[in-house]
């Protein structure tokens, strides 16, 4: 386990550990977050794909993924999801049974500054919570929490517990040694924990809760604690600090329960197209957009679906990107769409953003004075996103904005990375798109605080973004979508499932704190600590 060894009563010790590196889960066609790029892996598309090279020496890393158009990635990840991202569509990978793992009670995956977790902000909204952790003997534990009830399952097999010694097989010494404290557990593992060709199935578990000591159960309780919400405190906080006051509609949260009872999250790449159709049906739009941090412009880019559809015919806009290689790919891909996309090779900053984009925007609106009536603004630069948008309000008034948000800072906390004219450009030079940074971006409350004076309301959330609409189009949105603006962001956030670069139990603790002052020092301490880790990777 983490930090200390649990001597469970049914774990027998063998002198012949099983050293195989077995596959727990296939990860083809998904993207796992929090992995590290393997620097030695060639990514040239002409290189023959050999998955065994990506998976080599991976027992201790637990997860590997490979896409021949990108790279090989390795490490630990708790978030592997299907998406419209071009990496996911061509990826292959596996989750492997790892070697012994030691650490503390907090399960960080990858490096601390590269952590990502998909967090249910309401711990009881989508049914039981689960957590899988690795033990010191090659076993894994699956924790299951439903309200006050906690159940603990253990994998049937470990380094010291395997069928040859624990099951009544032809070659097993008679009698088999007692590997479990219960005959039912032994029968289950020996029957269901082995494939037809006698291979160990390391993803088969057996219930261990009845056999845990009080100390062991208390340990697991700390790893996956019951999270009770004080509704009186929560309602007092949102009544006092919420920016909006109307109850959010079903469209606002990023997650909902599907017909089959499973959680469904919003695909961020599908949000803007229906809004464009709605606006065009009720008003004269300008057919303009700016995409800052456009990357390759491929899915899950928020504008791709619109620009590649017939409704994107005649649209004119900018694809702003600091990476020349990715921008060239964008230019090639957008040439086959219905829109006119102008590639702009720039890295924007709050000081120079207006000066940098003024010539391009002026050419788009030659017969008008700023602020110009832009239709869509998308910003995803993993840095000073909100500061850049605030400066651009001198030039444009977008009808709809989609911004990446640092959701691990819950309402009502206002956080934003800021810009230093001397040090920040050096940070940009060291930027790596494959390395997440929890001290970048801005929080939802910060964005609302900054953009509300310009007439913007929160429309909806996706797992990583927030969509804001201008008050000039609010009546169209209200009548067309059945919503009422401004919406209460506390309730919308609570009903969402969001990407966070901090552990979910931390984020929920801060969000449901009885008063912001009781959580502020904890947020400050965590972010200050992580900022030091991130800064070590930048040469000042």
């Amino acid at each position: 386990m983490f930090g200390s060894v649990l001597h469970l009563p049914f774990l027998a010790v063998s002198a012949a550990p099983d050293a195989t590196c077995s596959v727990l889960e296939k990860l083809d066609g998904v993207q796992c977050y929090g992995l590290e790029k393997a620097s030695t892996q060639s990514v040239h598309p002409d290189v023959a794909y050999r998955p065994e090279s990506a998976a080599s020496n991976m027992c201790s890393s637990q997860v590997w993924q490979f896409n021949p158009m990108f790279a090989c990635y390795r490490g630990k990840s708790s978030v592997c999801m299907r998406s419209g991202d071009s990496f996911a569509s061509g990826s292959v990978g596996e989750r492997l049974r790892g070697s012994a793992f030691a650490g503390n009670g907090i399960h960080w995956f990858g490096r601390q500054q590269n952590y990502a977790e998909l967090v249910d902000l309401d711990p009881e909204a989508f049914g039981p919570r689960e957590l899988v952790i690795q033990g010191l003997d090659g076993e894994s534990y699956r924790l299951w929490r439903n309200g006050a009830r906690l159940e603990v399952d253990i994998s049937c097999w470990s380094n010291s517990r395997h069928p040859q010694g624990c099951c009544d097989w032809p070659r097993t010494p008679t009698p088999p040694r007692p590997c479990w404290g219960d005959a039912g557990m032994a029968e289950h593992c020996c029957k269901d924990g082995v494939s037809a060709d006698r291979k160990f199935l390391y993803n088969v578990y057996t219930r261990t809760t009845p056999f845990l000591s009080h100390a062991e159960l208390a340990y697991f309780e700390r790893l996956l604690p019951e999270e009770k919400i004080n509704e009186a405190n929560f309602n007092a906080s949102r009544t006092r600090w919420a920016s909006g006051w109307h109850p959010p509609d079903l469209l606002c949260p990023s997650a909902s329960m599907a017909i089959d009872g499973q959680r469904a999250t919003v695909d961020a790449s599908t949000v803007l197209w229906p809004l464009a159709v709605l606006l065009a049906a009720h008003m004269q739009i300008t057919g303009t957009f700016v995409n800052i941090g456009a990357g390759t412009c491929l899915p899950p880019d928020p504008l791709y679906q619109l620009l590649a559809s017939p409704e994107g015919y005649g649209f004119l806009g900018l694809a702003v990107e600091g990476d020349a290689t990715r921008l060239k790919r964008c230019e090639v891909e957008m040439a086959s769409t219905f829109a006119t996309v102008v590639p702009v090779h720039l890295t924007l900053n709050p000081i120079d953003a207006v000066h940098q984009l003024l010539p391009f925007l002026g050419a788009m609106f030659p017969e008008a004075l700023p602020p110009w009536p832009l239709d869509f603004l998308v910003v995803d630069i993993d840095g000073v996103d909100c500061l850049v948008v605030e400066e651009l309000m001198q030039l444009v008034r977008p009808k709809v904005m989609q911004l990446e948000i640092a959701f691990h800072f819950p309402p009502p906390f206002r956080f934003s990375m800021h810009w230093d004219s001397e040090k920040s450009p050096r940070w940009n030079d060291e930027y790596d798109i494959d390395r997440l940074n929890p001290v970048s971006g801005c929080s939802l409350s910060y964005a609302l605080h900054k953009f509300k004076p310009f007439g913007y309301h929160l429309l909806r959330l996706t797992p990583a973004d927030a969509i804001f609409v201008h008050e000039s189009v609010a009546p169209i949105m209200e009548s067309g979508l059945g919503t009422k603006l401004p919406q209460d962001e506390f309730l919308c956030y609570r009903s969402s499932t969001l990407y966070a670069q901090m552990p979910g139990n931390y984020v929920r603790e801060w969000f449901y704190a009885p008063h912001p002052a009781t959580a502020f020092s904890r947020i400050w301490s965590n972010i200050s600590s992580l900022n030091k880790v991130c800064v070590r990777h930048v040469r000042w």
Side-chain angles (χ1 to χ4, degrees):
M1 306 299 292
F2 299 99
S4 61
V5 180
L6 288 184
H7 300 286
L8 300 181
F10 45 83
L11 294 188
V13 179
S14 169
D18 177 273
T20 58
C21 187
S22 303
V23 177
L24 295 179
E25 180 183 6
K26 298 292 288 184
L27 298 173
D28 298 348
V30 302
Q31 182 164 1
C32 296
Y33 294 86
L35 303 181
E36 295 286 334
K37 182 190 290 184
S39 59
T40 58
Q41 176 67 35
S42 173
V43 296
H44 194 280
D46 295 333
V47 176
Y49 161 57
R50 295 187 297 274
E52 64 272 12
S53 63
S56 61
N57 300 319
M58 277 299 299
C59 277
S60 61
S61 297
Q62 293 190 10
V63 170
W64 69 268
Q65 281 200 292
F66 177 77
N67 185 314
M69 295 298 295
F70 291 86
C72 175
Y73 294 84
R74 302 171 174 177
K76 298 179 176 68
S77 175
S78 63
V79 181
C80 295
M81 298 186 64
R82 297 192 180 278
S83 72
D85 190 276
S86 51
F87 177 88
S89 62
S91 70
V92 294
E94 295 171 330
R95 185 184 304 278
L96 306 176
R97 172 177 170 267
S99 61
F101 178 85
N104 57 27
I106 302 302
H107 198 181
W108 291 101
F109 296 89
R111 299 183 180 180
Q112 282 189 328
Q113 76 275 21
N114 210 32
Y115 178 89
E117 180 180 338
L118 197 60
V119 177
D120 293 329
L121 273 304
D122 189 329
E124 305 298 333
F126 300 101
R129 292 182 290 137
E130 290 188 3
L131 174 67
V132 177
I133 59 175
Q134 189 78 35
L136 288 174
D137 191 38
E139 80 282 14
S140 57
Y141 295 86
R142 184 176 61 194
L143 282 60
W144 181 90
R145 164 75 73 181
N146 188 6
R149 180 186 174 191
L150 176 69
E151 297 289 356
V152 181
D153 300 337
I154 189 171
S155 58
C156 283
W157 313 119
S158 66
N159 291 338
S160 60
R161 191 173 62 251
H162 41 81
Q164 292 94 330
C166 301
C167 301
D168 190 10
W169 281 13
R171 297 182 181 179
T172 301
T174 303
R177 57 188 177 88
C179 298
W180 299 275
D182 178 75
M185 297 169 64
E187 180 180 1
H188 166 66
C189 287
C190 292
K191 177 182 177 181
D192 300 326
V194 183
S195 66
D197 55 354
R198 293 295 180 92
K199 291 184 178 179
F200 302 3
L201 300 179
Y202 283 99
N203 58 349
V204 175
Y205 292 82
T206 183
R207 181 61 45 87
T208 69
T209 315
F211 304 96
L212 296 176
S213 67
H214 289 299
E216 291 163 350
L217 188 58
Y219 180 84
F220 288 118
E221 287 277 0
R222 291 195 298 271
L223 292 181
L224 192 62
E226 181 183 6
E227 298 184 33
K228 296 181 179 180
I229 300 173
N230 187 315
E231 297 293 348
N233 287 340
F234 174 75
N235 288 324
S237 294
R238 72 179 186 84
T239 300
R240 183 172 180 182
W241 286 292
S243 175
W245 51 88
H246 292 293
D249 63 5
L250 295 177
L251 186 71
C252 189
S254 71
S256 61
M257 292 298 283
I259 296 176
D260 60 1
Q262 300 297 312
R263 177 182 62 192
T265 54
V266 177
D267 184 347
S269 64
T270 64
V271 171
L272 297 186
W273 175 79
L275 296 183
V277 173
L278 177 62
L279 290 174
H282 292 85
M283 66 180 299
Q284 183 68 41
I285 62 174
T286 60
T288 55
F289 65 89
V290 173
N291 189 355
I292 300 174
T296 64
C297 297
L298 290 170
D301 183 86
L303 283 164
Y304 181 84
Q305 185 186 42
L306 169 61
L307 303 183
S309 70
E311 287 75 18
Y313 181 80
F315 266 76
L316 168 66
L318 311 178
V320 184
E321 172 59 43
D323 187 314
T325 302
R326 294 169 64 82
L327 184 62
K328 183 62 179 178
R329 178 76 181 277
C330 169
E331 185 177 4
V332 172
E333 297 294 339
M334 290 294 101
S336 61
T337 67
F338 293 93
T340 299
V341 182
V342 179
V344 179
H345 185 209
L346 284 174
T347 299
L348 299 184
N349 67 74
I351 297 176
D352 303 314
V354 171
H355 173 73
Q356 289 172 303
L357 289 186
L358 181 59
F360 302 96
L361 290 169
M364 291 171 59
F365 301 95
E367 298 180 359
L369 296 175
W372 291 303
L374 191 72
D375 286 334
F376 296 99
L377 174 63
V378 175
V379 180
D380 179 1
I381 56 177
D382 299 334
V384 287
D385 303 53
C386 279
L387 302 189
V388 167
V389 173
E390 186 179 11
E391 291 300 316
L392 291 181
M393 288 296 157
Q394 300 178 55
L395 300 180
V396 293
R397 283 295 186 278
K399 297 176 182 64
V400 180
M401 298 193 301
Q402 184 163 341
L403 278 68
E404 187 176 47
I405 296 294
F407 282 125
H408 46 283
F409 299 101
F413 298 100
R414 301 173 189 168
F415 169 87
S416 175
M417 171 179 274
H418 284 268
W419 183 262
D420 182 278
S421 58
E422 178 183 349
K423 296 182 178 180
S424 294
R426 301 179 189 177
W427 184 89
N428 273 344
D429 292 340
E430 298 286 340
Y431 171 72
D432 182 356
I433 193 173
D434 297 303
R435 188 183 301 280
L436 305 177
N437 186 347
V439 296
S440 64
C442 59
S443 68
L444 178 61
S445 290
Y446 185 95
L448 283 168
H449 175 69
K450 286 295 183 180
F451 305 144
K452 188 175 182 179
F454 295 101
Y456 287 93
H457 303 302
L458 174 66
L459 179 68
R460 68 182 306 182
L461 302 179
T462 76
D465 303 333
I467 290 83
F468 303 91
V469 295
H470 192 259
E471 59 188 6
S472 62
V473 298
I476 296 176
M477 297 296 174
E478 289 179 330
S479 61
L481 301 176
T483 188
K484 191 69 175 176
L485 302 174
Q487 299 179 99
D488 185 325
E489 73 273 17
F490 275 70
L491 293 177
C492 185
Y493 184 90
R494 173 174 175 169
S495 299
S496 292
T497 299
L498 304 168
Y499 281 116
Q501 294 183 48
M502 294 291 288
N505 59 320
Y506 285 22
V507 179
R508 287 188 291 265
E509 178 185 328
W510 302 337
F511 180 47
Y512 294 110
H515 191 282
T518 63
F520 180 79
S521 62
R522 297 175 185 176
I523 299 177
W524 181 272
S525 298
N526 277 277
I527 296 305
S528 297
S529 175
L530 287 174
N531 188 49
K532 292 178 182 178
V533 174
C534 296
V535 166
R536 293 192 194 109
H537 294 274
V538 181
R539 297 187 296 272
W540 295 120

